[in-house]
Amino acid sequence: MWIFGWKGPSGFSASSTAEDVTQGIDGTGLTSIVTGASSGLGVETTRVLALRGVHVVMAVRNVDAGRSVKEEILKQIPGAKIDVMELDLSSMASVRKFASDYQSSSLPLNLLINNAGIMGTPFMLSHDNIELQFATNHLGHFLLTNLLLETMKNTARESNREGRIVNLSSEGHRFAYREGIRFDKINDESGYHSWFAYGQSKLANILHAKELASRLKEEGMEITANSLHPGAIMTNLMRHHGFLNSIGNIVGKYFLKSIPQGAATTCYVALHPQVKGVSGEYFSDSNIGNPSSKAKDSDLAKRLWDFSLTLTNSK
């Protein structure tokens, strides 16, 4: 991780903002989906992509909140192209409906930004009876990506522009359960630990991008898949931890990234020409980072892929 003012090989650092890393980039003609676009990093990612000319589809659980964000952005950027669509990643039925509605809209898809997430929740099950953090952070995005992949492939062929899939992970992936992914105990309440379960879901985000990158490469598709750590930021992710939330709000301004700095790596990986052709990597502070050994385990990545296919019943 780069120290705040310290620039990595990309020329950017932890203190670079999303506007800094996309300065001078023209995203006109590109269409992007951003999940979890109605709060925190999702709002800033949407705003900066729209500022650079990208047509952004905000995929949000709360459509009213999404519409207010859209209105706010339009006040600042009157020409912004933004749509709001409903998506609840913890429900496979909602993911399928979203994908089907998106395909019916005949919109192209150049960028898929799997940004939404929940963090450190008490033990709960999703609509499909799967542990909630794994279901929302990984499985919902896995299914969404698979359902939209054909649209992305067609767009890449027709537009002759590289498609990019971006998974928001976290340094929290280093603190997963000892075995990494608990395939046999994904719903085991007795062994559940809210932070290890968060780490497991974030490890899954990296492994998903890694396996997807190798499959796309084998097919010779001009679509990349990468994952990233946005940095330590105060967002509403901490809402289940009142004490930590209060401390974070007090000391955060000295040690944590602001939201514009937090959204920088996402916007860099989504739009920057330096990332062209780069796939299967893990980024931090707008530079290629070094994830844990578990995150580099291609057998684990393949096993997770098959496990996720079984859980989502995808063809």
Side-chain angles (χ1 to χ4, degrees):
M1 180 154 173
W2 305 100
I3 295 163
F4 257 72
W6 231 40
K7 292 182 178 170
S10 68
F12 300 113
S13 72
S15 57
S16 303
T17 64
E19 285 199 24
D20 294 338
V21 303
T22 56
Q23 195 62 48
I25 295 173
D26 183 7
T28 311
L30 296 175
T31 303
S32 174
I33 290 172
V34 179
T35 68
S38 60
S39 68
L41 296 178
V43 174
E44 181 66 356
T45 300
T46 299
R47 184 187 75 81
V48 173
L49 292 181
L51 179 68
R52 302 300 177 221
V54 178
H55 177 181
V56 183
V57 177
M58 298 173 66
V60 296
R61 203 170 44 193
N62 181 335
V63 173
D64 290 337
R67 289 195 183 118
S68 344
V69 168
K70 174 184 169 174
E71 291 315 311
E72 279 307 305
I73 295 175
L74 285 172
K75 281 180 198 163
Q76 294 177 42
I77 313 163
K81 289 171 80 172
I82 301 173
D83 290 308
V84 180
M85 286 175 69
E86 188 176 357
L87 171 65
D88 177 355
L89 286 154
S90 70
S91 155
M92 291 190 216
S94 173
V95 174
R96 291 180 194 284
K97 183 179 187 310
F98 175 91
S100 155
D101 290 349
Y102 193 88
Q103 282 152 346
S104 306
S105 75
S106 300
L107 281 171
L109 183 57
N110 306 88
L111 312 170
L112 174 57
I113 300 180
N114 291 321
N115 162 81
I118 56 173
M119 179 189 212
T121 57
F123 182 83
M124 288 184 262
L125 292 177
S126 71
H127 296 279
D128 308 286
N129 291 318
I130 294 159
E131 187 275 308
L132 193 62
Q133 295 194 78
F134 188 79
T136 307
N137 296 351
H138 165 64
L139 219 49
H141 282 128
F142 176 85
L143 178 59
L144 179 70
T145 305
N146 275 3
L147 293 173
L148 292 171
L149 211 46
E150 218 38 58
T151 306
M152 286 199 79
K153 288 175 181 177
N154 292 336
T155 303
R157 283 189 206 103
E158 288 162 20
S159 66
N160 224 356
R161 291 172 88 164
E162 175 182 86
R164 294 186 185 182
I165 296 163
V166 183
N167 283 359
L168 264 79
S169 177
S170 161
E171 279 292 286
H173 82 274
R174 299 181 193 277
F175 308 101
Y177 294 106
R178 196 171 43 82
E179 61 272 52
I181 310 286
R182 309 186 98 184
F183 296 104
D184 308 324
K185 301 179 184 168
I186 212 79
N187 286 347
D188 176 17
E189 187 174 357
S190 64
Y192 180 81
H193 184 292
S194 62
W195 293 109
F196 293 159
Y198 175 70
Q200 169 180 256
S201 71
K202 295 286 105 182
L203 173 61
N205 293 147
I206 303 177
L207 293 170
H208 171 215
K210 181 182 170 62
E211 177 63 14
L212 182 56
S214 86
R215 285 167 180 260
L216 289 164
K217 204 171 186 177
E218 262 172 44
E219 282 181 50
M221 279 312 305
E222 257 207 276
I223 299 173
T224 60
N226 291 293
S227 58
L228 64 94
H229 167 55
I233 306 135
M234 279 310 291
T235 66
N236 65 356
L237 271 182
M238 295 294 282
R239 61 185 172 273
H240 295 284
H241 302 273
F243 176 65
L244 286 175
N245 206 16
S246 321
I247 290 183
N249 281 322
I250 297 162
V251 301
K253 56 178 177 288
Y254 304 109
F255 302 109
L256 301 179
K257 285 187 176 186
S258 66
I259 298 239
Q261 289 167 339
T265 306
T266 305
C267 292
Y268 173 78
V269 177
L271 283 187
H272 209 285
Q274 284 176 357
V275 189
K276 185 169 168 53
V278 176
S279 197
E281 294 288 355
Y282 172 74
F283 287 78
S284 178
D285 300 333
S286 304
N287 283 276
I288 291 178
N290 188 22
S292 71
S293 55
K294 285 254 188 318
K296 298 176 193 169
D297 184 336
S298 36
D299 292 335
L300 189 61
K302 286 186 178 68
R303 195 175 165 201
L304 174 66
W305 185 277
D306 294 338
F307 180 65
S308 306
L309 274 186
T310 308
L311 290 179
T312 53
N313 297 317
S314 306
K315 294 292 173 281

